[in-house]
Amino acid sequence: MITTSVCIIGAGPGGATAALQLDRLGIPCVVADKAVFPRDKVCGDGLSGKVITGLEKIDKGIAERLRAFVEKENSWGVTFVSPGRQGMDVPYKPNYNKQADEPLGFVCKRIHFDNFMVDELKRSANVQLFEGVTIDKYSLDEDGYTVRNAAGDFEVKAKLLIVANGAHSSFTKEVAGIRMEPKYYAAGIRAYYKGVKGTHADSFIELHFLKNLLPGYLWIFPLPNGEANVGMDMLSDAVRDRKVNLKQLLTDTLKQDPVFAERFRDAEMTSSLDGYGLPLGSKKRRLSGNRYMLVGDAAYIIDPFTGEGIGNAIYSGAIAAKQAAACLAAGNFGEEIMMAYDESVYRVLGPELKLSYKLQQLVKYPRLFNWLMKMGMRNKQLRDVISSMFYEVDLRKKLTKPSFYVKLLLNR
């Protein structure tokens, strides 16, 4: 049996970040993941400004190595396209200068990004990483958690668990009691294409809110070497109620829609078309308990409007590590002290999640969404607010001031 202060289940972005933060705090930890890296993960592959900002706070060296990482496309913003086909470009940083500024966002295949993070774990002295180990048994004792694989030949005893094993985490369901609710969950599909026409010169990612997809969207995320991540997502209750076959809908849209048919006329699909689930942060949930914290997708904190998951996973992973340090210092791992983790996550991410949920509800009404997009095209205030969802700006201060809304309505 391995004994440790903190055991992290999952070495994806959230779990890896928690381990990296613990390492920099001088706290040993064990990380176990069912995969052997590099491994692919079905995802949109977008890395917003939160990713580089979050890693920089842990260690500037990690951020520098990510900036120098060649397997990524530098991205400077997002293009939102309304049901009425109005497009609005929103940079990750207002008034960016491509020559002078560092890019804040990237698009990077998960097979590459997650492997980059795992390589960072391997260079961290306080991290013991175990790949190819599926943890599926959890038992809580008075002095900590014991976790095991099915065969019983891998066993870890830890004072504290950080659970970061994704959207289908058995721990999230069985121990934390968080279940999939179709109105707070999205179904997504993704494929890689080569030769897509008409992508933005500064590699803005594209979110197309097509009328028959609402409240979901079709995305095109440019990648290096002329590739693009192309996909579609829709709320799970809408998929169920409308009996939508997302794979067929994406295929038909790219072939039959006049805009996409032209853009994809000479494009070639270079992968299979795969599906995945997105547990959305559309409602507040309890993210911790006695001797455990949930991180990333296991905590159901994906942005309901943009589908941002990696940045939120990184932020929650760093917060979990700091909370673990506080618990170890106090010698207290009970439910009450763990509430500080929930409070920190929702203080940092809550305002954005609330705003994104409202925007997600808004897109159910195409006329209203079209009007908002038209207003955004001529209203810098609104564009800056949406930028704030990606860039490190204190959104809460703006949103708590009535004067902001007055200016927005008056188009100033």
Side-chain angles (χ1 to χ4, degrees):
M1 181 191 286
I2 301 163
T3 304
T4 184
S5 295
V6 183
C7 180
I8 300 170
I9 314 298
T17 300
L20 292 170
Q21 180 69 78
L22 285 170
D23 176 74
R24 275 30 175 210
L25 295 170
I27 298 169
C29 65
V30 168
V31 182
D33 196 288
K34 65 182 180 181
V36 175
F37 292 81
R39 63 95 177 97
D40 195 17
K41 185 90 174 173
V42 184
C43 178
D45 296 338
L47 309 181
S48 78
K50 279 186 191 170
V51 172
I52 202 82
T53 302
L55 294 176
E56 205 159 32
K57 287 177 179 175
I58 295 168
D59 182 342
K60 285 186 173 15
I62 301 173
E64 285 167 12
R65 287 187 288 276
L66 179 59
R67 284 199 176 99
F69 191 56
V70 295
E71 300 283 359
K72 64 171 175 28
E73 182 76 10
N74 295 339
S75 175
W76 296 86
V78 186
T79 299
F80 293 96
V81 182
S82 74
R85 299 296 176 99
Q86 284 100 6
M88 179 172 71
D89 287 347
V90 180
Y92 287 136
K93 179 182 179 182
N95 308 312
Y96 71 92
N97 181 328
K98 196 174 172 183
Q99 277 68 46
D101 296 335
E102 293 278 9
L104 289 165
F106 312 99
V107 185
C108 183
K109 290 182 179 181
R110 289 290 297 274
I111 192 169
H112 300 310
F113 178 68
D114 289 16
N115 198 53
F116 167 85
M117 294 292 282
V118 164
D119 282 345
E120 289 294 326
L121 295 184
K122 289 174 180 174
R123 64 165 78 214
S124 300
N126 294 302
V127 179
Q128 276 184 281
L129 173 66
F130 295 89
E131 300 176 60
V133 176
T134 302
I135 300 294
D136 49 15
K137 296 185 185 306
Y138 309 88
S139 56
L140 177 60
D141 307 308
E142 213 172 285
D143 58 346
Y145 261 99
T146 302
V147 300
R148 303 176 183 85
N149 63 353
D153 57 7
F154 182 84
E155 194 172 57
V156 179
K157 182 66 179 278
K159 294 176 183 175
L160 182 64
L161 284 188
I162 294 177
V163 180
N165 55 352
H168 305 294
S169 169
S170 60
F171 190 100
T172 296
K173 284 182 274 196
E174 293 161 17
V175 181
I178 300 176
R179 302 271 169 178
M180 192 277 259
E181 297 172 82
K183 66 178 179 177
Y184 303 125
Y185 204 91
I189 52 164
R190 173 226 72 183
Y192 291 114
Y193 281 82
K194 202 161 184 117
V196 180
K197 296 177 187 170
T199 53
H200 194 284
D202 293 344
S203 297
F204 278 36
I205 65 172
E206 302 173 37
L207 304 181
H208 297 263
F209 292 86
L210 304 178
K211 197 169 183 179
N212 60 340
L213 261 180
L214 301 179
Y217 55 81
L218 182 154
W219 71 77
I220 301 172
F221 290 4
L223 282 158
N225 307 313
E227 275 195 287
N229 180 314
V230 180
M232 198 176 254
D233 79 357
M234 184 185 285
L235 277 178
S236 295
D237 60 351
V239 172
R240 179 195 61 199
D241 295 346
R242 298 182 211 165
K243 298 181 172 58
V244 176
N245 181 326
L246 275 180
K247 289 187 177 183
Q248 193 62 52
L249 183 57
L250 178 62
T251 304
D252 291 347
T253 301
L254 298 183
K255 282 182 181 174
Q256 298 167 12
D257 179 275
V259 173
F260 293 111
E262 174 57 29
R263 292 186 64 184
F264 282 79
R265 188 178 60 196
D266 303 319
E268 175 194 354
M269 190 191 288
T270 57
S271 71
S272 55
L273 184 54
D274 298 311
Y276 66 113
L278 293 88
L280 306 175
S282 311
K283 66 181 265 190
K284 205 169 180 181
R285 300 173 176 91
R286 184 70 204 265
L287 307 180
S288 64
N290 190 16
R291 294 186 181 270
Y292 76 82
M293 290 173 277
L294 306 177
V295 157
D297 288 6
Y300 281 51
I301 51 171
I302 290 177
D303 188 285
F305 184 62
T306 65
E308 161 88 74
I310 298 172
N312 288 357
I314 282 172
Y315 271 47
S316 62
I319 294 167
K322 289 172 186 172
Q323 180 60 37
C327 290
L328 288 164
N332 183 349
F333 308 91
E335 285 189 36
E336 285 189 22
I337 193 170
M338 287 300 178
M339 272 302 293
Y341 169 69
D342 295 52
E343 287 162 6
S344 293
V345 168
Y346 284 116
R347 187 182 67 251
V348 173
L349 300 177
E352 295 174 18
L353 291 174
K354 278 183 188 174
L355 179 63
S356 288
Y357 182 56
K358 286 176 182 173
L359 288 169
Q360 184 206 60
Q361 298 304 299
L362 175 71
V363 303
K364 290 180 180 178
Y365 307 99
R367 286 184 182 176
L368 192 57
F369 190 39
N370 287 337
W371 172 81
L372 180 70
M373 292 292 278
K374 281 179 184 174
M375 187 169 75
M377 288 165 73
R378 60 178 188 263
N379 188 313
K380 191 174 181 298
Q381 281 265 320
L382 180 59
R383 288 198 303 276
D384 286 353
V385 160
I386 300 174
S387 285
S388 299
M389 294 160 63
F390 304 101
Y391 181 58
E392 189 69 8
V393 170
D394 191 348
L395 187 62
R396 285 170 286 128
K397 288 179 183 174
K398 282 187 178 181
L399 295 180
T400 53
K401 291 180 181 175
S403 59
F404 168 75
Y405 296 97
V406 172
K407 286 177 183 173
L408 199 62
L409 287 169
L410 295 174
N411 194 24
R412 288 180 184 170

